[in-house]
Amino acid sequence: MNDPESSRLALLRFLERVQERDLTRTRRWIADEERREAERRVGEARRPPAPEWLIERGLDRTNIVAVHTGECWDPGKRARPATRAQTIEALRQQVPACSKCRPDTALGIEV
């Protein structure tokens, strides 16, 4: 029972089982990550395009607070997509243009 060769072989067999289990787990992690990456790509492909213009409404939702480009980094929580015509009309009615993204400049309108 104290044969050094057989105990060494037993330890190597044990190491082999542990490494196979680790490899199986690693392969499962890789498969999970590949699945998540594929789902992320599908989600990006299905995402609707960002709006070109945004109109930000006030708390009462009736008055317009500001006009933004679709790429503005700070449009506010109450900003909704708008058409180019709606954006131009809002600017003509003296609705302030966002100072961060300058939609009036992007549209070529003097306000």
Side-chain angles (χ1 to χ4, degrees):
M1 188 83 177
N2 286 338
D3 180 16
E5 286 301 313
S6 75
S7 70
R8 180 171 164 79
L9 184 60
L11 288 173
L12 288 172
R13 295 277 184 211
F14 172 74
L15 177 62
E16 181 183 36
R17 286 192 308 272
V18 169
Q19 289 177 334
E20 284 176 349
R21 198 170 42 231
D22 286 346
L23 182 59
T24 301
R25 183 179 60 214
T26 301
R27 286 180 175 152
R28 187 176 60 242
W29 289 345
I30 290 170
D32 290 345
E33 190 61 32
E34 287 172 340
R35 180 185 44 78
R36 280 191 292 272
E37 182 64 23
E39 289 172 355
R40 185 191 61 76
R41 282 192 304 268
V42 167
E44 283 180 1
R46 289 182 179 171
R47 182 176 294 135
E52 195 171 352
W53 309 103
L54 299 168
I55 291 182
E56 183 178 358
R57 300 215 174 255
L59 288 175
D60 62 359
R61 297 178 190 249
T62 57
N63 63 332
I64 299 174
V65 177
V67 178
H68 304 268
T69 64
E71 294 144 6
C72 183
W73 58 270
D74 190 22
K77 293 180 181 179
R78 292 178 301 276
R80 298 292 178 256
T83 64
R84 179 181 172 88
Q86 290 170 325
T87 303
I88 291 171
E89 184 59 31
L91 290 169
R92 286 190 178 141
Q93 292 179 8
Q94 303 302 313
V95 173
C98 173
S99 62
K100 298 164 188 95
C101 64
R102 298 304 311 225
D104 53 335
T105 305
L107 286 166
I109 296 175
E110 287 291 324
V111 284

